[in-house]
Amino acid sequence: MTEEQENPWHILSQRSVYDNPWIGVTEYNVINPSGGKGIYGKVHFKNIAIGVLVIDAEQHTYLIGQYRFVIDAYSWEIPEGGCPAGSDPLESAKRELLEEAGLEASQWRELLRMHLSNSVSDELAIVYLAADLVQKTPQPEDTEQLAIKRLPLQEAFAMVENGGITDAISVAAFQKAALMLERGLPLFFPNGKNQ
């Protein structure tokens, strides 16, 4: 580990200030990298965020629309959900795809991992690509009022570019897929080497 990679923060004390089944908030008394005393708040997520970028045989994708309480706005997103601690992220992705879009996929590939807001949160997201689809019946949770939109993949890329999609997981997933396609890289491995 190089000197710049070593942790320059020193924790003097910490206390839990909020906790529920999904998140916990901890306040730390710290000595910051410049040597001054201060506080730092951390939001700990108890689930891994899961996203599924779906691509069907006609190069269409699926978006889920829902009103998001925290931002007080409607949002179009790839199918998303949570993976409880100790659970298999891929199995959680399969569950979320069926619940939200009513789809089952036989091809899966991990597309990316990302930290969503690493200045205040430790939330990790894992995004998968899914293909070879079978349509089933969506099974949304009681708290979800969802709309499903099937559209060409290129239209979803355009929605990211023009601000029609602002969800961070969805933006990153579509940008990564667009970059791979632009570079001529396969979204899925041949010969069954996918997950």
Side-chain angles (χ1 to χ4, degrees), residues 109-163:
R109 177 183 180 185
E110 186 175 312
L111 179 64
L112 63 91
R113 290 179 180 227
M114 59 187 275
H115 289 99
L116 296 177
S117 186
N118 64 9
S119 65
V120 295
S121 162
D122 64 0
E123 187 175 22
L124 171 68
I126 303 174
V127 181
Y128 293 92
L129 286 169
D132 285 346
L133 307 171
V134 175
Q135 185 68 60
K136 303 281 185 173
T137 302
Q139 303 167 10
E141 296 176 6
D142 293 342
T143 59
E144 295 177 319
Q145 188 177 37
L146 308 177
I148 302 169
K149 179 191 292 191
R150 179 179 178 268
L151 69 164
L153 191 56
Q154 293 298 326
E155 284 186 24
F157 292 163
M159 287 179 71
V160 169
E161 291 175 22
N162 68 26

Side-chain angles (χ1 to χ4, degrees), residues 50-55 61-63 76-80 109-114 116 125-130 153 156-157 160 165-181 187:
I50 297 293
V52 183
L53 196 166
V54 180
I55 302 174
T61 192
Y62 289 74
L63 295 177
W76 286 104
E77 310 163 3
I78 63 175
E80 296 176 0
R109 177 183 180 185
E110 186 175 312
L111 179 64
L112 63 91
R113 290 179 180 227
M114 59 187 275
L116 296 177
I126 303 174
V127 181
Y128 293 92
L129 286 169
L153 191 56
F157 292 163
V160 169
I165 296 174
T166 60
D167 170 68
I169 294 173
S170 302
V171 169
F174 284 123
Q175 291 287 14
K176 174 84 181 268
L179 183 62
M180 290 174 70
L181 290 171
L187 294 178

Side-chain angles (χ1 to χ4, degrees), residues 60-73:
H60 283 62
T61 192
Y62 289 74
L63 295 177
I64 305 300
Q66 63 182 307
Y67 201 89
R68 288 294 192 179
F69 178 87
V70 173
I71 61 171
D72 195 20

